Each structure stands twice: as structure tokens, then as C-alpha cells.
Amino acid sequence: MTAFSLEPAQLAWCAELRALADERLRPLAEKGEPGRVNRALLVELGALGLLPRLFTSGALDLCLMRESLAHACTEAETALALQGLGAHPVHAHGTETQRARWLPRVGDGSAVAAFALSEPDAGSDAAALSLGAEPDAGPADADAAGTGGADAGGAAGRRGEPGTTRPVTPGTTAAERPGTGTARPGAGRGAEASRPPGPATPDTGRPGPEASRPAPDAHGPGARQAPAPASLAADRDGPSAWRLTGEKCWISNAPEADFYTVFARTTPGAGARGVTAFLVPADRPGLTGTPLDMLSPHPIGALAFDAVPVTTDDVLGEVDRGFRVAMDTLNLFRPSVGAFAVGMAQAALDATLAHTTARTAFGGRLRDLQTVAHQTAEMALRTEAARLMVYAAATAYDEGAPDVPRRSAMAKLLATETAQYVVDRAVQLHGARALRRGHLLEHLYREVRAPRVYEGASEVQRGIIAKELYRTLDATTEEAGP
């Protein structure tokens, strides 16, 4: 199969996903609370087999899932993508114990994953992160082992005051969520020998008073969040332990995630070579979080680490090789961010075609005006070009091509910038009705802005592309000789 065509079975699967998103996922998304993790939606994604597929499919399948879901339900697309982003490092670089403990729960939607890379002063410059992992040579007490927190029936956090940080507690109910505010001052978001075939691969929490209350049906009105798993126990005795101190910000699914893939500096002054990836359960002592109120109400927050204990059992990959874990994850997910953008662009284009056909103005249909027809043609042209680049980048990843970083950056850059253009044009052609709260295009207009920033802003992608182009030129020149 080439990168520029899909098999009939793939096209049928995409159509099925769009139908499922419209009929089964969108109703659950509409019942969710803006800015909160929608656990009922995650459970349904697991029941439909989409979350488990994150760990068995290739990059192209991931792109097809994200594009298809985004066309009908952006909330479902985002929920699926964040599970994959947060869990891919565990799938690709974790130990057998880590995988067995967390991946089945990610796959059935009962555990929420998060990818914690960005910091207040290290967003686009990921290699400059400063969350410190200080060696802790002394023995740790039993409470620091992270075995407390949520029990098998789920744990609810205690109510916090608005504007304050709170313990990161999995399974918090809507009624107990504190108001949005700010975190502490300044807060804002060795790999294995072979790469896995699949794409998936993005405080002290003690049981609250509701922990023993039976949960109502996950899909019913006022449904309580699904139960969260107990944390992963680790032996903290001996010199091979660290304490994490610092902040993370703009972290999707924070502070409600059940575990975080956290990137911390284990070797000061070493840049990208001194970063280690850790699997940190949400109920580790000293981990607190604050939800952030964003333009598009996604679950996103800031995290504060106050001497949070971790050990070698929590390391993902190799010590000081965590940047490789991060880049491996981003190289996979950047094309699929492009797929998300393509799905939104296609939804905006479809809405525009329908509107300009039905709407009459100036003595005829809008579609008959050349200025309108040319704009819709441009929207379609750019959307299809972006789609093809996304598919090409995903296929390159699946085939282990050497130019994956460049292709991934190109796909994300072109697709996200294209989606911004297409949605903006769609709003213009719809007029004032598209600005009304609740309109599809009003929703897409808010949703489409963030992908140009997260997982590497457009400017970062241009830098990656240029670096890869010159690296290839230099290598070719060196091989050619004088």
C-alpha cells in the first residue's frame, strides 16, 4: 500500500468510526463537564475497542482513528489521543511490571494517563526542563511507597478552596472539584532495543468521604467518574531513589489523571542528555495540581512536585535517556495531531458546502457566486494536501524510514495551519450564525487554535524541518568528499 491511497476496508472502517462517534460518543461528550476528564466517555472508547487498539495498531491507523473521530466528536478524539500520548512511553519503554499494571486499565478506560513534559519556562524548549530529580540515598518509609491513595472502588478527593492547589486525586467527583486558579507562583503544561509495532504507544491522594459510596451507572445522568486504580508500588530502599521537585504546566488530563509520564532532570547541566522519564502514580506524596481555565475547555492543569519519591522501578527506558522517550512519542503523535486537524478541517468544509448550497443571497445560491466557489475550492485543496502529507508521514513511521522527524514535523505543521485557515474561511462564509455559542463552527474555531501550539509549536516544527534538511545536506556532502 502506498502512502497516498487507502484500501476499501480502511475507508469502510473510517466511515464506521464517524458513525460511532456521532451516535454513541457525542451524546456522552455532551453530558460531560467542560474542563473535566470525561471518564464515561473513556469507558465507552474502551468498550468499542478503540483504546486497546492504541497498543496494537500502526501510526497510520492512529491517524485514521483521530481524523475520523474529530470529524464528528472532537471530545472523543481528544480523550483517545491523550490516553495514547500518556501511555505510549509505558507501552514502548516500560518494564513488564509497569505495562501489566497500567496498560490494561488505560485500554478499558478505568485509568487516565497524562504526558507531563512542559514547564513554565520549558515549553517549546523541552531540553531546558528544570524539574529536578535529586538522589535520595536514605531509606523511605512505607507511606512513601505510593501504595496508599485510591482503593479498588475509587477515591474521591476532598474539596479545595478556589484558587488553591490541591492533592492530585484520581476519580474526583464533579461536586468536589475546586474552582480554577493558579498553582504556586510561576506555574502555568534508554529505549528498548526495538521499536514496538503499535502507535500507543497525552499530593498525596487519600480516599475521601465518598470512597465507600457505590457508583451509579457510568452512562446515566450525573454519573460518577469510573473508579481509578491503586498506584504502582515500588521499593524505595537504598541509594537508587530520587525526589522530584519543581513544576509542570499545560499538562492535559491534569490534575485528574491516575498516572503521569514525567520528565525530570537527573543530571544538571547536561541538556537533553540528562533527562529521565518516570512513571508517577497520581497519589504519590507531595504531588499537587491545579486545573486551568482555557479558551477551549479541555482537562488541563499545572502540577507541583514537592519532593515526590520515585525509584528505579518507576524509570521508563534508561536513566538520563528520557529525552529519547519524549521524542519517540512526539514523532509518532505529531502526524496524528495533523490527522486531528484534518478531521476538523473536513468537518468545516462539509458544513460550508451544505450551507452555501442551501443559503440564497443576491438572487441565487451562495455556491453560484464565483468568490464563494473559489474559496470552497481552496479549502478542499488545502485539506486534501494536508491529509496526504499526514498519511505519508504515518506510513514512513510504520516502515521505520530514516526521515521520520522531518516528515512528522511537516505533517503537523501543514495540517494544523491548514485547519486554522479552513475553519476561519468556513466561519466567514457562514457569517454571524457561525459565531453563535453552540454552532459547530464556533466550537471548531476554539478547538482548532491549540494544535498549532502543543506538541511543538509551528515555529518549532519549522526549526526541526530546517535542521533535518541541513543535516541531510551535510551528510551527503561529506559522503561525496572533496
Side-chain angles (χ1 to χ4, degrees):
M1 192 198 87
T2 70
F4 307 103
S5 63
L6 296 179
E7 300 291 343
Q10 291 172 307
L11 294 172
W13 182 53
C14 290
E16 180 183 356
L17 287 178
R18 290 193 296 270
L20 287 173
D22 186 45
E23 297 166 8
R24 295 180 59 174
L25 298 176
R26 188 191 297 170
L28 289 173
E30 291 173 349
K31 294 178 182 178
E33 180 182 349
R36 294 294 310 277
V37 172
N38 189 330
R39 290 182 180 257
L41 181 61
L42 282 174
V43 169
E44 186 67 10
L45 285 166
L48 292 173
L50 299 181
L51 295 181
R53 191 156 184 156
L54 288 169
F55 307 116
T56 60
S57 300
L60 182 57
D61 270 4
L62 174 62
C63 287
L64 296 181
M65 281 195 288
R66 294 191 68 174
E67 179 186 342
S68 301
L69 293 179
H71 184 270
C73 181
T74 59
E75 295 90 345
E77 184 283 332
T78 300
L80 175 112
L82 295 181
Q83 286 288 83
L85 185 66
H88 174 74
V90 181
H91 171 64
H93 303 279
T95 65
E96 289 300 323
T97 300
Q98 290 168 334
R99 292 190 190 110
R101 182 69 184 86
W102 290 106
L103 296 187
R105 292 169 173 79
V106 171
D108 66 19
S110 63
V112 178
F115 186 81
L117 177 63
S118 295
E119 296 181 3
D121 297 317
S124 296
D125 187 7
L129 61 84
S130 61
L131 176 72
E134 295 292 330
D136 179 15
D141 58 38
D143 284 343
T147 55
D151 58 20
R158 292 183 171 83
R159 177 184 296 272
E161 294 299 322
T164 63
T165 58
R166 66 183 178 91
V168 176
T169 307
T172 309
T173 62
E176 294 168 324
R177 182 186 181 216
T180 56
T182 56
R184 55 176 63 183
R189 161 184 191 234
E192 295 180 348
S194 62
R195 186 192 314 177
T201 332
D203 294 274
T204 313
R206 300 297 182 193
E210 292 191 11
S212 61
R213 183 185 302 175
D217 179 72
H219 301 283
R224 186 177 167 199
Q225 303 289 3
S231 65
L232 179 67
D235 181 3
R236 242 173 276 302
D237 295 330
S240 58
W242 299 265
R243 296 275 177 166
L244 304 182
T245 301
E247 296 173 336
K248 294 288 183 182
C249 63
W250 320 120
I251 307 304
S252 293
N253 283 345
E256 298 180 68
D258 298 307
F259 72 93
Y260 299 87
T261 294
V262 177
F263 297 88
R265 181 156 302 286
T266 40
T267 301
R273 298 180 183 275
V275 173
T276 301
F278 295 95
L279 192 164
V280 182
D283 61 355
R284 285 289 167 85
L287 178 57
T288 58
T290 307
L292 300 174
D293 191 12
M294 308 296 289
L295 171 67
S296 185
H298 289 287
I300 188 171
L303 297 172
F305 296 77
D306 184 7
V308 175
V310 291
T311 74
T312 52
D313 288 342
D314 299 314
V315 172
L316 294 169
E318 303 174 40
V319 174
D320 283 347
R321 299 294 183 88
F323 198 71
R324 181 186 303 174
V325 176
M327 291 304 103
D328 172 66
T329 303
L330 294 176
N331 281 338
L332 168 64
F333 276 85
R334 277 172 177 159
S336 73
V337 173
F340 171 38
V342 168
M344 289 190 287
Q346 188 65 54
L349 175 59
D350 291 347
T352 301
L353 293 173
H355 171 71
T356 55
T357 295
R359 181 82 159 88
T360 58
F362 307 106
R365 296 180 297 181
L366 280 181
R367 62 183 277 181
D368 297 326
L369 298 175
Q370 187 181 68
T371 183
V372 171
H374 284 187
Q375 287 188 69
T376 56
E378 184 70 16
M379 292 161 66
L381 172 68
R382 297 194 189 193
T383 299
E384 186 66 11
R387 176 181 288 112
L388 295 177
M389 182 161 280
V390 166
Y391 291 176
T395 302
Y397 185 96
D398 287 339
E399 294 177 350
D403 57 351
V404 165
R406 176 177 62 85
R407 286 180 176 272
S408 294
M410 284 182 166
K412 181 183 186 294
L413 174 63
L414 179 64
T416 55
E417 294 287 341
T418 293
Q420 182 80 58
Y421 168 84
V422 171
V423 172
D424 183 75
R425 289 292 87 201
V427 169
Q428 195 70 18
L429 291 174
H430 275 73
R433 72 190 66 206
L435 302 177
R436 187 174 182 179
R437 182 73 69 181
H439 193 280
L440 169 65
L441 290 175
E442 180 269 337
H443 170 75
L444 291 177
Y445 199 76
R446 287 183 289 108
E447 288 283 329
V448 80
R449 189 59 184 85
R452 293 172 58 205
V453 175
Y454 64 63
E455 293 185 42
S458 293
E459 293 74 15
V460 171
Q461 305 310 318
R462 290 186 174 94
I464 293 172
I465 294 165
K467 179 181 178 180
E468 291 296 313
L469 289 172
Y470 286 118
R471 184 181 65 80
T472 302
L473 174 65
D474 292 342
T476 303
T477 304
E478 184 176 336
E479 288 177 3

